[in-house]
Amino acid sequence: MSIRHKLKSKLGFGAAPLGNMFRNIPDAEALATVDAAWEQGVRYFDTAPLYGAGLSEIRLGEALAGHKRDDYVLSTKVGRVILDEVEDPAARQLGEKGGVFQHGRPNRIVNDYGADATLRSIEDSLKRLKTDRLDLVFIHDVAQDFYGDEWLARFETARLGAFRVLDRLRDEGVIKGWGLGVNRVEPVELILDLNEPAPDVMLLAGRYTLLDHERALQRVMPAAAARKVDIVVGGPYSSGILAGGTHFEYQKASPDIIAKVERIKAIAQGHGVSVKAAALQFALANPAVAAVIPGASRPERIMEDHAALNEKVPAAFWQEMREQKLVSADAPLPGDSKE
């Protein structure tokens, strides 16, 4: 079931940075960033317990507390339970994302995709978010980047636990939709091949960007469209490298990635285009994509995102990107209808 009509805008807010992603962000700066997003018309906000061990949810809940609940769409994730016990954030085993949230709260994080843990996670998130309901719920990171060869076992636990719980909550009208929130395409391919349950939406982070989109284009987008499952694109700037940062896949970018980004920048400069505009508009050009949710931790980044969304990108830019094989020949592009 498509949920895109429930999203109030195609540009949402990814709240991972509010969990002190990569750096210690002052509370005032975090709250000002959410306020800036609201002022710019953002009405879809996504978070997760993992982000700073609940810190992102706490800050987002504080920032949205003064707004009517019916005026925005809220999503969070299950698969992690945050305890009152403490641990060293820098020592957490987060797979390929080790150290990303080392500046977050020290609360212990337990990975659990079972039915009981799913219900507890939702209850805890509601408290941190200061709300009485969630709109969308994603099952978080049940993929190789966190669990390596054990990811299929985790997926099976989720299939028998979280999948069924969220399917029931959606059918009962408690939530509006659910799906996976992952950084890999394989779990999405797998769930879309199942006869049941029936997810509504997938949050695919970093896998449909200017730097990495081939497999999602070939395997995920057609399957999602066939099942009327919407795609929300997270991480459109590939962890920041496409927005002037130095990270790709949550780590320092390799020389090859840096070189590719420089090629994109050169073409963008030649056409008077910002790379941010190219990144956002590329993701939204695919008809399977319902929304894109870049993350931000500074108010000025919100302004940049909205300017990028509305920036005029000439068809000639996309044509050159195709000619230089920097985007797939089969990828839908904003300029296609104008050529």
Side-chain angles (χ1 to χ4, degrees), residues 31-46:
L31 297 178
T33 303
V34 180
D35 288 343
W38 187 275
E39 288 300 317
Q40 290 294 316
V42 170
R43 295 296 184 269
Y44 172 37
F45 300 87
D46 174 75

PDB file of all heavy atoms in Angstrom, residues 31-46:
ATOM      1  N   LEU A  31      18.081  21.922  18.288  1.00  0.00           N
ATOM      2  CA  LEU A  31      16.694  22.384  18.282  1.00  0.00           C
ATOM      3  C   LEU A  31      16.476  23.456  17.217  1.00  0.00           C
ATOM      4  O   LEU A  31      15.434  23.484  16.545  1.00  0.00           O
ATOM      5  CB  LEU A  31      16.315  22.914  19.663  1.00  0.00           C
ATOM      6  CG  LEU A  31      16.347  21.890  20.807  1.00  0.00           C
ATOM      7  CD1 LEU A  31      15.994  22.561  22.127  1.00  0.00           C
ATOM      8  CD2 LEU A  31      15.402  20.731  20.532  1.00  0.00           C
ATOM      9  N   ALA A  32      17.462  24.335  17.045  1.00  0.00           N
ATOM     10  CA  ALA A  32      17.349  25.380  16.022  1.00  0.00           C
ATOM     11  C   ALA A  32      17.296  24.777  14.625  1.00  0.00           C
ATOM     12  O   ALA A  32      16.630  25.321  13.729  1.00  0.00           O
ATOM     13  CB  ALA A  32      18.526  26.352  16.140  1.00  0.00           C
ATOM     14  N   THR A  33      17.967  23.660  14.429  1.00  0.00           N
ATOM     15  CA  THR A  33      17.957  23.000  13.119  1.00  0.00           C
ATOM     16  C   THR A  33      16.577  22.450  12.796  1.00  0.00           C
ATOM     17  O   THR A  33      16.080  22.602  11.675  1.00  0.00           O
ATOM     18  CB  THR A  33      19.005  21.876  13.084  1.00  0.00           C
ATOM     19  OG1 THR A  33      20.292  22.420  13.382  1.00  0.00           O
ATOM     20  CG2 THR A  33      19.048  21.223  11.712  1.00  0.00           C
ATOM     21  N   VAL A  34      15.944  21.817  13.781  1.00  0.00           N
ATOM     22  CA  VAL A  34      14.584  21.310  13.565  1.00  0.00           C
ATOM     23  C   VAL A  34      13.627  22.474  13.334  1.00  0.00           C
ATOM     24  O   VAL A  34      12.748  22.416  12.457  1.00  0.00           O
ATOM     25  CB  VAL A  34      14.122  20.453  14.749  1.00  0.00           C
ATOM     26  CG1 VAL A  34      12.691  19.941  14.510  1.00  0.00           C
ATOM     27  CG2 VAL A  34      15.062  19.274  14.977  1.00  0.00           C
ATOM     28  N   ASP A  35      13.787  23.536  14.087  1.00  0.00           N
ATOM     29  CA  ASP A  35      12.938  24.727  13.899  1.00  0.00           C
ATOM     30  C   ASP A  35      13.099  25.288  12.489  1.00  0.00           C
ATOM     31  O   ASP A  35      12.113  25.691  11.854  1.00  0.00           O
ATOM     32  CB  ASP A  35      13.302  25.802  14.924  1.00  0.00           C
ATOM     33  CG  ASP A  35      12.863  25.448  16.335  1.00  0.00           C
ATOM     34  OD1 ASP A  35      12.013  24.541  16.485  1.00  0.00           O
ATOM     35  OD2 ASP A  35      13.372  26.062  17.291  1.00  0.00           O
ATOM     36  N   ALA A  36      14.333  25.313  11.997  1.00  0.00           N
ATOM     37  CA  ALA A  36      14.581  25.821  10.644  1.00  0.00           C
ATOM     38  C   ALA A  36      13.904  24.938   9.606  1.00  0.00           C
ATOM     39  O   ALA A  36      13.341  25.440   8.619  1.00  0.00           O
ATOM     40  CB  ALA A  36      16.082  25.892  10.382  1.00  0.00           C
ATOM     41  N   ALA A  37      13.946  23.629   9.826  1.00  0.00           N
ATOM     42  CA  ALA A  37      13.279  22.709   8.904  1.00  0.00           C
ATOM     43  C   ALA A  37      11.774  22.965   8.881  1.00  0.00           C
ATOM     44  O   ALA A  37      11.144  22.990   7.814  1.00  0.00           O
ATOM     45  CB  ALA A  37      13.573  21.265   9.305  1.00  0.00           C
ATOM     46  N   TRP A  38      11.207  23.171  10.058  1.00  0.00           N
ATOM     47  CA  TRP A  38       9.761  23.439  10.124  1.00  0.00           C
ATOM     48  C   TRP A  38       9.427  24.736   9.388  1.00  0.00           C
ATOM     49  O   TRP A  38       8.458  24.799   8.627  1.00  0.00           O
ATOM     50  CB  TRP A  38       9.317  23.523  11.578  1.00  0.00           C
ATOM     51  CG  TRP A  38       7.830  23.620  11.714  1.00  0.00           C
ATOM     52  CD1 TRP A  38       7.062  24.749  11.652  1.00  0.00           C
ATOM     53  CD2 TRP A  38       6.914  22.531  11.888  1.00  0.00           C
ATOM     54  NE1 TRP A  38       5.737  24.443  11.790  1.00  0.00           N
ATOM     55  CE2 TRP A  38       5.608  23.088  11.937  1.00  0.00           C
ATOM     56  CE3 TRP A  38       7.076  21.151  12.023  1.00  0.00           C
ATOM     57  CZ2 TRP A  38       4.475  22.286  12.108  1.00  0.00           C
ATOM     58  CZ3 TRP A  38       5.943  20.358  12.194  1.00  0.00           C
ATOM     59  CH2 TRP A  38       4.670  20.932  12.236  1.00  0.00           C
ATOM     60  N   GLU A  39      10.232  25.754   9.606  1.00  0.00           N
ATOM     61  CA  GLU A  39       9.985  27.048   8.958  1.00  0.00           C
ATOM     62  C   GLU A  39      10.075  26.932   7.439  1.00  0.00           C
ATOM     63  O   GLU A  39       9.398  27.678   6.706  1.00  0.00           O
ATOM     64  CB  GLU A  39      10.988  28.088   9.463  1.00  0.00           C
ATOM     65  CG  GLU A  39      10.758  28.538  10.895  1.00  0.00           C
ATOM     66  CD  GLU A  39       9.387  29.175  11.087  1.00  0.00           C
ATOM     67  OE1 GLU A  39       8.975  29.972  10.228  1.00  0.00           O
ATOM     68  OE2 GLU A  39       8.719  28.848  12.098  1.00  0.00           O
ATOM     69  N   GLN A  40      10.879  26.012   6.953  1.00  0.00           N
ATOM     70  CA  GLN A  40      11.024  25.814   5.511  1.00  0.00           C
ATOM     71  C   GLN A  40       9.957  24.878   4.935  1.00  0.00           C
ATOM     72  O   GLN A  40       9.974  24.567   3.754  1.00  0.00           O
ATOM     73  CB  GLN A  40      12.412  25.252   5.195  1.00  0.00           C
ATOM     74  CG  GLN A  40      13.539  26.250   5.404  1.00  0.00           C
ATOM     75  CD  GLN A  40      13.466  27.405   4.429  1.00  0.00           C
ATOM     76  OE1 GLN A  40      13.233  27.220   3.226  1.00  0.00           O
ATOM     77  NE2 GLN A  40      13.653  28.624   4.928  1.00  0.00           N
ATOM     78  N   GLY A  41       9.049  24.443   5.780  1.00  0.00           N
ATOM     79  CA  GLY A  41       7.929  23.635   5.295  1.00  0.00           C
ATOM     80  C   GLY A  41       8.092  22.138   5.431  1.00  0.00           C
ATOM     81  O   GLY A  41       7.237  21.376   4.967  1.00  0.00           O
ATOM     82  N   VAL A  42       9.161  21.680   6.073  1.00  0.00           N
ATOM     83  CA  VAL A  42       9.336  20.245   6.271  1.00  0.00           C
ATOM     84  C   VAL A  42       8.288  19.745   7.260  1.00  0.00           C
ATOM     85  O   VAL A  42       8.095  20.324   8.319  1.00  0.00           O
ATOM     86  CB  VAL A  42      10.757  19.929   6.810  1.00  0.00           C
ATOM     87  CG1 VAL A  42      10.858  18.474   7.254  1.00  0.00           C
ATOM     88  CG2 VAL A  42      11.795  20.228   5.755  1.00  0.00           C
ATOM     89  N   ARG A  43       7.630  18.645   6.884  1.00  0.00           N
ATOM     90  CA  ARG A  43       6.610  18.073   7.757  1.00  0.00           C
ATOM     91  C   ARG A  43       6.781  16.559   7.906  1.00  0.00           C
ATOM     92  O   ARG A  43       5.884  15.884   8.410  1.00  0.00           O
ATOM     93  CB  ARG A  43       5.205  18.393   7.220  1.00  0.00           C
ATOM     94  CG  ARG A  43       4.860  19.878   7.228  1.00  0.00           C
ATOM     95  CD  ARG A  43       4.814  20.454   8.631  1.00  0.00           C
ATOM     96  NE  ARG A  43       4.399  21.852   8.648  1.00  0.00           N
ATOM     97  CZ  ARG A  43       5.235  22.889   8.578  1.00  0.00           C
ATOM     98  NH1 ARG A  43       6.536  22.679   8.484  1.00  0.00           N
ATOM     99  NH2 ARG A  43       4.790  24.127   8.595  1.00  0.00           N
ATOM    100  N   TYR A  44       7.912  16.036   7.458  1.00  0.00           N
ATOM    101  CA  TYR A  44       8.213  14.621   7.675  1.00  0.00           C
ATOM    102  C   TYR A  44       9.561  14.505   8.367  1.00  0.00           C
ATOM    103  O   TYR A  44      10.574  15.014   7.870  1.00  0.00           O
ATOM    104  CB  TYR A  44       8.221  13.851   6.341  1.00  0.00           C
ATOM    105  CG  TYR A  44       8.723  12.423   6.481  1.00  0.00           C
ATOM    106  CD1 TYR A  44       8.413  11.669   7.600  1.00  0.00           C
ATOM    107  CD2 TYR A  44       9.501  11.835   5.488  1.00  0.00           C
ATOM    108  CE1 TYR A  44       8.879  10.372   7.744  1.00  0.00           C
ATOM    109  CE2 TYR A  44       9.967  10.534   5.611  1.00  0.00           C
ATOM    110  CZ  TYR A  44       9.656   9.811   6.745  1.00  0.00           C
ATOM    111  OH  TYR A  44      10.128   8.524   6.897  1.00  0.00           O
ATOM    112  N   PHE A  45       9.574  13.855   9.521  1.00  0.00           N
ATOM    113  CA  PHE A  45      10.770  13.732  10.340  1.00  0.00           C
ATOM    114  C   PHE A  45      11.031  12.264  10.658  1.00  0.00           C
ATOM    115  O   PHE A  45      10.129  11.544  11.082  1.00  0.00           O
ATOM    116  CB  PHE A  45      10.592  14.523  11.648  1.00  0.00           C
ATOM    117  CG  PHE A  45      10.344  15.994  11.429  1.00  0.00           C
ATOM    118  CD1 PHE A  45       9.055  16.472  11.217  1.00  0.00           C
ATOM    119  CD2 PHE A  45      11.397  16.897  11.425  1.00  0.00           C
ATOM    120  CE1 PHE A  45       8.816  17.825  11.018  1.00  0.00           C
ATOM    121  CE2 PHE A  45      11.166  18.253  11.227  1.00  0.00           C
ATOM    122  CZ  PHE A  45       9.872  18.717  11.013  1.00  0.00           C
ATOM    123  N   ASP A  46      12.276  11.851  10.462  1.00  0.00           N
ATOM    124  CA  ASP A  46      12.653  10.450  10.706  1.00  0.00           C
ATOM    125  C   ASP A  46      13.789  10.375  11.713  1.00  0.00           C
ATOM    126  O   ASP A  46      14.766  11.134  11.631  1.00  0.00           O
ATOM    127  CB  ASP A  46      13.099   9.782   9.404  1.00  0.00           C
ATOM    128  CG  ASP A  46      13.642   8.381   9.652  1.00  0.00           C
ATOM    129  OD1 ASP A  46      12.827   7.473   9.894  1.00  0.00           O
ATOM    130  OD2 ASP A  46      14.887   8.212   9.626  1.00  0.00           O
TER     131      ASP A  46
END
